[in-house]
Structures are given as C-alpha cells and as structure tokens.
Amino acid sequence: IGNDIHYFETVDSTNDVAKKMGIRAEEGTIVVAEVQENGRGRKGDPWISPKGGIWLSVILKPSILPAHAPRLTLMAGVAVANAMRQFGVDASIKWPNDVVIGKKKICGILTEMDAEADHIGFVVIGIGINANVPVEELPEELREGSMSLSSIKGERINRAEFVQALLKSLETEYLRFKVDGSTKILEDWISLSNTIGRQVDVITPHKIISGKATGINPDGALIVENDEGVHEVIAGRCIYK
Ligand code: BTN
C-alpha cells in the first residue's frame, strides 16, 4: 500500500479522484490532498477539509463479495486507531466507525466501491484525519464533538511521518485480512472500541434502541441487548449515556 501516491494541493474529494482512477490503478494506490473543496462524509454530509488535515483515499482490489466490503471499513478503523496509538494518542473506535478520543471524533472513514452483484472492481477507502487542524478553527457546530492530533498533543505533528505509519498499519491489517479473513480484525476492533460494554442510545431512521452494546457482527452491525432482546443495528447514530 502506497507504492503509487498521487499528491494534490486541492481536489474536490480524494474519493472522487480515486474512483476515477480505480479500474486502471494498481492496488494500494493512494490519493492524498492538502485541501478538499467538496469533501464528503457518510450519509451525504459534507466533510470539512482545511489545510493541515490528512485527507486521503486508498484503492484496494480485494477478491471478496461486495456484501463483505464493510469489513474493510472496520479494518481501516483498526489501522487508524493503531497508528494513532503508535504516536502516543489514546485513540478508540466509536461505532459505526469513527476514530475518537473519548467522545470526540478525530477521524472519519468513507468506503465506496465499484461492484457488480458478486464481484468487486475496486474499493475506495477514504480516510479523513484532523491532524494539524486546531479544533477552535473548525466551524462552531463541529467544535464540541471534534478533536485533532495537534490539539490533543499540544503541538503540530509531522504529517508525513504519521501517513507513513498509517500506510504501514493499513498494509499489515490488509495482509492479515487476505490471509485470515476478518476474525482477527473483529477482535481488534472490539478491543479498540469504546462502544462495546457501554449503555447506548442508537438512533435509527425508525426508532431509538437503548441498551447495552455487547458486540458487532462481521458486517459491522452493532449488537445491542435490552429487556426486549438482542438487536443487530446495521446503521444509525450512537449516543453514549
Ligand atoms: C464520515 O465520518 O462521515 C466519513 C468522513 C470521510 C472523510 C474522508 S477525507 C478523504 C476522503 N474524501 C472524501 O471526500 N471523504 C473521505
């Protein structure tokens, strides 16, 4: 991962650039930009991407079923959290797949793919990290729930060194995924997560499920237990009580 790195000053979205290159690109190709003018988050939300952050996308070509692609998002969360821990930052994973410091989000992951029914052409994993982005410079509505590497460390980090550690960590996890499947990744995800074992409210489009988060399934669905039984929640917003 990272043999071929395409660097840009400004793009709309590294995921969009990566998707255009996808079919022809070598597996492991990276697209990275200083600034994204139209960075995208999950659920069509914008992703604020000023200078100082790390905005990158990785192109992968795994031989897996499209239905199993969410496992790669879990893998990326594990890789990011591990890279941050190597940098002395106490990162955890908050379901569905935010890397957080406590409750504050420091990294978001957006996985997109080009696939037919039973075959993946390529997957783009977009990783956005608030690196040297002072939290007080984020839009007001994001400040409360966000963290950055420089704000938590009290000094700017060396982004090149961090990206190098991150790509190595991604490669380790991806090789493991290809050899062993997702079992080890799920174990690592659970031990890095600060959601499992907690009382949570999960807000889904239809209802709010309150209970104890007890695990995730291989597709990344959160398992929540309460008096009514065991629920597997595939998508939603998780609030810690
Ligand atoms: C989220 O938590 O909502 C996901 C955020 C993903 C942001 C990254 S930054 C690099 C890549 N390019 C994008 O436009 N989005 C992802």
mmCIF file with all atom_site columns, all heavy atoms in Angstrom, residues 1-3 28 75 79 165-177:
data_model
loop_
_atom_site.group_PDB
_atom_site.id
_atom_site.type_symbol
_atom_site.label_atom_id
_atom_site.label_alt_id
_atom_site.label_comp_id
_atom_site.label_asym_id
_atom_site.label_entity_id
_atom_site.label_seq_id
_atom_site.pdbx_PDB_ins_code
_atom_site.Cartn_x
_atom_site.Cartn_y
_atom_site.Cartn_z
_atom_site.occupancy
_atom_site.B_iso_or_equiv
_atom_site.pdbx_formal_charge
_atom_site.auth_seq_id
_atom_site.auth_comp_id
_atom_site.auth_asym_id
_atom_site.auth_atom_id
_atom_site.pdbx_PDB_model_num
ATOM 1   N N   . ILE A 1 1   ? 0.853   -1.197  0.000  1.00 0.00 ? 1   ILE A N   1
ATOM 2   C CA  . ILE A 1 1   ? 0.000   0.000   0.000  1.00 0.00 ? 1   ILE A CA  1
ATOM 3   C C   . ILE A 1 1   ? 0.889   1.247   0.000  1.00 0.00 ? 1   ILE A C   1
ATOM 4   O O   . ILE A 1 1   ? 1.757   1.388   0.864  1.00 0.00 ? 1   ILE A O   1
ATOM 5   C CB  . ILE A 1 1   ? -0.954  -0.013  1.227  1.00 0.00 ? 1   ILE A CB  1
ATOM 6   C CG1 . ILE A 1 1   ? -1.983  -1.139  1.031  1.00 0.00 ? 1   ILE A CG1 1
ATOM 7   C CG2 . ILE A 1 1   ? -1.632  1.343   1.416  1.00 0.00 ? 1   ILE A CG2 1
ATOM 8   C CD1 . ILE A 1 1   ? -3.032  -1.257  2.097  1.00 0.00 ? 1   ILE A CD1 1
ATOM 9   N N   . GLY A 1 2   ? 0.660   2.124   -0.985 1.00 0.00 ? 2   GLY A N   1
ATOM 10  C CA  . GLY A 1 2   ? 1.442   3.357   -1.042 1.00 0.00 ? 2   GLY A CA  1
ATOM 11  C C   . GLY A 1 2   ? 2.623   3.312   -1.997 1.00 0.00 ? 2   GLY A C   1
ATOM 12  O O   . GLY A 1 2   ? 3.472   4.207   -1.968 1.00 0.00 ? 2   GLY A O   1
ATOM 13  N N   . ASN A 1 3   ? 2.712   2.273   -2.864 1.00 0.00 ? 3   ASN A N   1
ATOM 14  C CA  . ASN A 1 3   ? 3.763   2.278   -3.887 1.00 0.00 ? 3   ASN A CA  1
ATOM 15  C C   . ASN A 1 3   ? 3.544   3.415   -4.856 1.00 0.00 ? 3   ASN A C   1
ATOM 16  O O   . ASN A 1 3   ? 4.495   3.972   -5.405 1.00 0.00 ? 3   ASN A O   1
ATOM 17  C CB  . ASN A 1 3   ? 3.755   0.969   -4.700 1.00 0.00 ? 3   ASN A CB  1
ATOM 18  C CG  . ASN A 1 3   ? 4.401   -0.152  -3.921 1.00 0.00 ? 3   ASN A CG  1
ATOM 19  O OD1 . ASN A 1 3   ? 5.156   0.105   -2.982 1.00 0.00 ? 3   ASN A OD1 1
ATOM 20  N ND2 . ASN A 1 3   ? 4.097   -1.387  -4.300 1.00 0.00 ? 3   ASN A ND2 1
ATOM 21  N N   . GLY A 1 28  ? -3.553  -0.582  -3.934 1.00 0.00 ? 28  GLY A N   1
ATOM 22  C CA  . GLY A 1 28  ? -2.725  0.105   -2.940 1.00 0.00 ? 28  GLY A CA  1
ATOM 23  C C   . GLY A 1 28  ? -2.402  1.541   -3.308 1.00 0.00 ? 28  GLY A C   1
ATOM 24  O O   . GLY A 1 28  ? -1.742  2.246   -2.549 1.00 0.00 ? 28  GLY A O   1
ATOM 25  N N   . MET A 1 75  ? -11.607 -2.628  9.131  1.00 0.00 ? 75  MET A N   1
ATOM 26  C CA  . MET A 1 75  ? -10.149 -2.779  9.051  1.00 0.00 ? 75  MET A CA  1
ATOM 27  C C   . MET A 1 75  ? -9.459  -1.415  9.080  1.00 0.00 ? 75  MET A C   1
ATOM 28  O O   . MET A 1 75  ? -8.459  -1.219  9.774  1.00 0.00 ? 75  MET A O   1
ATOM 29  C CB  . MET A 1 75  ? -9.809  -3.519  7.757  1.00 0.00 ? 75  MET A CB  1
ATOM 30  C CG  . MET A 1 75  ? -8.335  -3.631  7.514  1.00 0.00 ? 75  MET A CG  1
ATOM 31  S SD  . MET A 1 75  ? -7.964  -4.082  5.813  1.00 0.00 ? 75  MET A SD  1
ATOM 32  C CE  . MET A 1 75  ? -8.042  -2.472  5.033  1.00 0.00 ? 75  MET A CE  1
ATOM 33  N N   . ALA A 1 79  ? -6.734  0.159   11.691 1.00 0.00 ? 79  ALA A N   1
ATOM 34  C CA  . ALA A 1 79  ? -5.414  0.634   11.239 1.00 0.00 ? 79  ALA A CA  1
ATOM 35  C C   . ALA A 1 79  ? -5.162  2.072   11.708 1.00 0.00 ? 79  ALA A C   1
ATOM 36  O O   . ALA A 1 79  ? -4.066  2.404   12.175 1.00 0.00 ? 79  ALA A O   1
ATOM 37  C CB  . ALA A 1 79  ? -5.315  0.546   9.715  1.00 0.00 ? 79  ALA A CB  1
ATOM 38  N N   . ALA A 1 165 ? 3.287   5.853   8.934  1.00 0.00 ? 165 ALA A N   1
ATOM 39  C CA  . ALA A 1 165 ? 2.862   4.867   9.944  1.00 0.00 ? 165 ALA A CA  1
ATOM 40  C C   . ALA A 1 165 ? 1.476   4.317   9.607  1.00 0.00 ? 165 ALA A C   1
ATOM 41  O O   . ALA A 1 165 ? 1.205   3.117   9.755  1.00 0.00 ? 165 ALA A O   1
ATOM 42  C CB  . ALA A 1 165 ? 2.862   5.503   11.332 1.00 0.00 ? 165 ALA A CB  1
ATOM 43  N N   . LEU A 1 166 ? 0.618   5.196   9.129  1.00 0.00 ? 166 LEU A N   1
ATOM 44  C CA  . LEU A 1 166 ? -0.753  4.782   8.799  1.00 0.00 ? 166 LEU A CA  1
ATOM 45  C C   . LEU A 1 166 ? -0.758  3.790   7.630  1.00 0.00 ? 166 LEU A C   1
ATOM 46  O O   . LEU A 1 166 ? -1.438  2.760   7.680  1.00 0.00 ? 166 LEU A O   1
ATOM 47  C CB  . LEU A 1 166 ? -1.594  6.015   8.462  1.00 0.00 ? 166 LEU A CB  1
ATOM 48  C CG  . LEU A 1 166 ? -3.002  5.739   7.925  1.00 0.00 ? 166 LEU A CG  1
ATOM 49  C CD1 . LEU A 1 166 ? -3.834  4.980   8.954  1.00 0.00 ? 166 LEU A CD1 1
ATOM 50  C CD2 . LEU A 1 166 ? -3.701  7.038   7.552  1.00 0.00 ? 166 LEU A CD2 1
ATOM 51  N N   . LEU A 1 167 ? 0.033   4.087   6.595  1.00 0.00 ? 167 LEU A N   1
ATOM 52  C CA  . LEU A 1 167 ? 0.038   3.187   5.424  1.00 0.00 ? 167 LEU A CA  1
ATOM 53  C C   . LEU A 1 167 ? 0.614   1.826   5.812  1.00 0.00 ? 167 LEU A C   1
ATOM 54  O O   . LEU A 1 167 ? 0.150   0.781   5.354  1.00 0.00 ? 167 LEU A O   1
ATOM 55  C CB  . LEU A 1 167 ? 0.830   3.809   4.272  1.00 0.00 ? 167 LEU A CB  1
ATOM 56  C CG  . LEU A 1 167 ? 0.254   5.123   3.709  1.00 0.00 ? 167 LEU A CG  1
ATOM 57  C CD1 . LEU A 1 167 ? 1.047   5.588   2.495  1.00 0.00 ? 167 LEU A CD1 1
ATOM 58  C CD2 . LEU A 1 167 ? -1.230  4.999   3.343  1.00 0.00 ? 167 LEU A CD2 1
ATOM 59  N N   . LYS A 1 168 ? 1.609   1.825   6.689  1.00 0.00 ? 168 LYS A N   1
ATOM 60  C CA  . LYS A 1 168 ? 2.186   0.568   7.143  1.00 0.00 ? 168 LYS A CA  1
ATOM 61  C C   . LYS A 1 168 ? 1.136   -0.224  7.936  1.00 0.00 ? 168 LYS A C   1
ATOM 62  O O   . LYS A 1 168 ? 0.987   -1.442  7.758  1.00 0.00 ? 168 LYS A O   1
ATOM 63  C CB  . LYS A 1 168 ? 3.394   0.891   8.022  1.00 0.00 ? 168 LYS A CB  1
ATOM 64  C CG  . LYS A 1 168 ? 4.327   -0.248  8.158  1.00 0.00 ? 168 LYS A CG  1
ATOM 65  C CD  . LYS A 1 168 ? 5.747   0.180   8.422  1.00 0.00 ? 168 LYS A CD  1
ATOM 66  C CE  . LYS A 1 168 ? 6.579   -1.062  8.600  1.00 0.00 ? 168 LYS A CE  1
ATOM 67  N NZ  . LYS A 1 168 ? 7.112   -1.250  9.934  1.00 0.00 ? 168 LYS A NZ  1
ATOM 68  N N   . SER A 1 169 ? 0.432   0.481   8.792  1.00 0.00 ? 169 SER A N   1
ATOM 69  C CA  . SER A 1 169 ? -0.590  -0.161  9.619  1.00 0.00 ? 169 SER A CA  1
ATOM 70  C C   . SER A 1 169 ? -1.724  -0.720  8.742  1.00 0.00 ? 169 SER A C   1
ATOM 71  O O   . SER A 1 169 ? -2.210  -1.843  8.961  1.00 0.00 ? 169 SER A O   1
ATOM 72  C CB  . SER A 1 169 ? -1.080  0.899   10.612 1.00 0.00 ? 169 SER A CB  1
ATOM 73  O OG  . SER A 1 169 ? -2.158  0.480   11.351 1.00 0.00 ? 169 SER A OG  1
ATOM 74  N N   . LEU A 1 170 ? -2.099  0.049   7.709  1.00 0.00 ? 170 LEU A N   1
ATOM 75  C CA  . LEU A 1 170 ? -3.129  -0.434  6.781  1.00 0.00 ? 170 LEU A CA  1
ATOM 76  C C   . LEU A 1 170 ? -2.657  -1.682  6.052  1.00 0.00 ? 170 LEU A C   1
ATOM 77  O O   . LEU A 1 170 ? -3.415  -2.637  5.862  1.00 0.00 ? 170 LEU A O   1
ATOM 78  C CB  . LEU A 1 170 ? -3.419  0.642   5.730  1.00 0.00 ? 170 LEU A CB  1
ATOM 79  C CG  . LEU A 1 170 ? -4.487  1.674   6.065  1.00 0.00 ? 170 LEU A CG  1
ATOM 80  C CD1 . LEU A 1 170 ? -4.434  2.808   5.047  1.00 0.00 ? 170 LEU A CD1 1
ATOM 81  C CD2 . LEU A 1 170 ? -5.885  1.041   6.067  1.00 0.00 ? 170 LEU A CD2 1
ATOM 82  N N   . GLU A 1 171 ? -1.400  -1.665  5.649  1.00 0.00 ? 171 GLU A N   1
ATOM 83  C CA  . GLU A 1 171 ? -0.883  -2.815  4.915  1.00 0.00 ? 171 GLU A CA  1
ATOM 84  C C   . GLU A 1 171 ? -0.861  -4.064  5.798  1.00 0.00 ? 171 GLU A C   1
ATOM 85  O O   . GLU A 1 171 ? -1.259  -5.148  5.373  1.00 0.00 ? 171 GLU A O   1
ATOM 86  C CB  . GLU A 1 171 ? 0.522   -2.505  4.388  1.00 0.00 ? 171 GLU A CB  1
ATOM 87  C CG  . GLU A 1 171 ? 1.083   -3.651  3.585  1.00 0.00 ? 171 GLU A CG  1
ATOM 88  C CD  . GLU A 1 171 ? 2.197   -3.204  2.686  1.00 0.00 ? 171 GLU A CD  1
ATOM 89  O OE1 . GLU A 1 171 ? 1.910   -2.519  1.681  1.00 0.00 ? 171 GLU A OE1 1
ATOM 90  O OE2 . GLU A 1 171 ? 3.356   -3.509  3.003  1.00 0.00 ? 171 GLU A OE2 1
ATOM 91  N N   . THR A 1 172 ? -0.423  -3.892  7.039  1.00 0.00 ? 172 THR A N   1
ATOM 92  C CA  . THR A 1 172 ? -0.411  -5.031  7.978  1.00 0.00 ? 172 THR A CA  1
ATOM 93  C C   . THR A 1 172 ? -1.813  -5.617  8.119  1.00 0.00 ? 172 THR A C   1
ATOM 94  O O   . THR A 1 172 ? -2.013  -6.831  8.026  1.00 0.00 ? 172 THR A O   1
ATOM 95  C CB  . THR A 1 172 ? 0.063   -4.555  9.374  1.00 0.00 ? 172 THR A CB  1
ATOM 96  O OG1 . THR A 1 172 ? 1.311   -3.894  9.221  1.00 0.00 ? 172 THR A OG1 1
ATOM 97  C CG2 . THR A 1 172 ? 0.182   -5.700  10.351 1.00 0.00 ? 172 THR A CG2 1
ATOM 98  N N   . GLU A 1 173 ? -2.797  -4.727  8.333  1.00 0.00 ? 173 GLU A N   1
ATOM 99  C CA  . GLU A 1 173 ? -4.170  -5.205  8.538  1.00 0.00 ? 173 GLU A CA  1
ATOM 100 C C   . GLU A 1 173 ? -4.731  -5.844  7.267  1.00 0.00 ? 173 GLU A C   1
ATOM 101 O O   . GLU A 1 173 ? -5.453  -6.838  7.330  1.00 0.00 ? 173 GLU A O   1
ATOM 102 C CB  . GLU A 1 173 ? -5.092  -4.060  8.982  1.00 0.00 ? 173 GLU A CB  1
ATOM 103 C CG  . GLU A 1 173 ? -4.750  -3.439  10.308 1.00 0.00 ? 173 GLU A CG  1
ATOM 104 C CD  . GLU A 1 173 ? -4.754  -4.424  11.469 1.00 0.00 ? 173 GLU A CD  1
ATOM 105 O OE1 . GLU A 1 173 ? -5.493  -5.428  11.426 1.00 0.00 ? 173 GLU A OE1 1
ATOM 106 O OE2 . GLU A 1 173 ? -3.992  -4.182  12.423 1.00 0.00 ? 173 GLU A OE2 1
ATOM 107 N N   . TYR A 1 174 ? -4.399  -5.256  6.126  1.00 0.00 ? 174 TYR A N   1
ATOM 108 C CA  . TYR A 1 174 ? -4.958  -5.770  4.864  1.00 0.00 ? 174 TYR A CA  1
ATOM 109 C C   . TYR A 1 174 ? -4.372  -7.149  4.527  1.00 0.00 ? 174 TYR A C   1
ATOM 110 O O   . TYR A 1 174 ? -5.096  -8.046  4.089  1.00 0.00 ? 174 TYR A O   1
ATOM 111 C CB  . TYR A 1 174 ? -4.699  -4.773  3.738  1.00 0.00 ? 174 TYR A CB  1
ATOM 112 C CG  . TYR A 1 174 ? -5.398  -5.123  2.439  1.00 0.00 ? 174 TYR A CG  1
ATOM 113 C CD1 . TYR A 1 174 ? -6.761  -5.423  2.409  1.00 0.00 ? 174 TYR A CD1 1
ATOM 114 C CD2 . TYR A 1 174 ? -4.699  -5.149  1.234  1.00 0.00 ? 174 TYR A CD2 1
ATOM 115 C CE1 . TYR A 1 174 ? -7.409  -5.742  1.220  1.00 0.00 ? 174 TYR A CE1 1
ATOM 116 C CE2 . TYR A 1 174 ? -5.336  -5.464  0.036  1.00 0.00 ? 174 TYR A CE2 1
ATOM 117 C CZ  . TYR A 1 174 ? -6.687  -5.763  0.038  1.00 0.00 ? 174 TYR A CZ  1
ATOM 118 O OH  . TYR A 1 174 ? -7.318  -6.078  -1.145 1.00 0.00 ? 174 TYR A OH  1
ATOM 119 N N   . LEU A 1 175 ? -3.078  -7.324  4.765  1.00 0.00 ? 175 LEU A N   1
ATOM 120 C CA  . LEU A 1 175 ? -2.473  -8.636  4.501  1.00 0.00 ? 175 LEU A CA  1
ATOM 121 C C   . LEU A 1 175 ? -3.107  -9.676  5.415  1.00 0.00 ? 175 LEU A C   1
ATOM 122 O O   . LEU A 1 175 ? -3.432  -10.790 4.993  1.00 0.00 ? 175 LEU A O   1
ATOM 123 C CB  . LEU A 1 175 ? -0.952  -8.595  4.719  1.00 0.00 ? 175 LEU A CB  1
ATOM 124 C CG  . LEU A 1 175 ? -0.183  -7.761  3.684  1.00 0.00 ? 175 LEU A CG  1
ATOM 125 C CD1 . LEU A 1 175 ? 1.299   -7.708  4.017  1.00 0.00 ? 175 LEU A CD1 1
ATOM 126 C CD2 . LEU A 1 175 ? -0.386  -8.325  2.267  1.00 0.00 ? 175 LEU A CD2 1
ATOM 127 N N   . ARG A 1 176 ? -3.326  -9.277  6.655  1.00 0.00 ? 176 ARG A N   1
ATOM 128 C CA  . ARG A 1 176 ? -3.952  -10.181 7.614  1.00 0.00 ? 176 ARG A CA  1
ATOM 129 C C   . ARG A 1 176 ? -5.379  -10.522 7.178  1.00 0.00 ? 176 ARG A C   1
ATOM 130 O O   . ARG A 1 176 ? -5.803  -11.675 7.253  1.00 0.00 ? 176 ARG A O   1
ATOM 131 C CB  . ARG A 1 176 ? -3.961  -9.467  8.963  1.00 0.00 ? 176 ARG A CB  1
ATOM 132 C CG  . ARG A 1 176 ? -4.532  -10.264 10.062 1.00 0.00 ? 176 ARG A CG  1
ATOM 133 C CD  . ARG A 1 176 ? -4.625  -9.410  11.283 1.00 0.00 ? 176 ARG A CD  1
ATOM 134 N NE  . ARG A 1 176 ? -3.376  -9.323  12.000 1.00 0.00 ? 176 ARG A NE  1
ATOM 135 C CZ  . ARG A 1 176 ? -3.147  -8.445  12.967 1.00 0.00 ? 176 ARG A CZ  1
ATOM 136 N NH1 . ARG A 1 176 ? -4.064  -7.562  13.297 1.00 0.00 ? 176 ARG A NH1 1
ATOM 137 N NH2 . ARG A 1 176 ? -2.001  -8.439  13.601 1.00 0.00 ? 176 ARG A NH2 1
ATOM 138 N N   . PHE A 1 177 ? -6.087  -9.520  6.691  1.00 0.00 ? 177 PHE A N   1
ATOM 139 C CA  . PHE A 1 177 ? -7.458  -9.729  6.204  1.00 0.00 ? 177 PHE A CA  1
ATOM 140 C C   . PHE A 1 177 ? -7.447  -10.731 5.058  1.00 0.00 ? 177 PHE A C   1
ATOM 141 O O   . PHE A 1 177 ? -8.293  -11.628 4.978  1.00 0.00 ? 177 PHE A O   1
ATOM 142 C CB  . PHE A 1 177 ? -8.014  -8.378  5.743  1.00 0.00 ? 177 PHE A CB  1
ATOM 143 C CG  . PHE A 1 177 ? -9.380  -8.453  5.123  1.00 0.00 ? 177 PHE A CG  1
ATOM 144 C CD1 . PHE A 1 177 ? -10.510 -8.550  5.919  1.00 0.00 ? 177 PHE A CD1 1
ATOM 145 C CD2 . PHE A 1 177 ? -9.538  -8.385  3.747  1.00 0.00 ? 177 PHE A CD2 1
ATOM 146 C CE1 . PHE A 1 177 ? -11.780 -8.603  5.354  1.00 0.00 ? 177 PHE A CE1 1
ATOM 147 C CE2 . PHE A 1 177 ? -10.800 -8.428  3.178  1.00 0.00 ? 177 PHE A CE2 1
ATOM 148 C CZ  . PHE A 1 177 ? -11.924 -8.548  3.979  1.00 0.00 ? 177 PHE A CZ  1
#
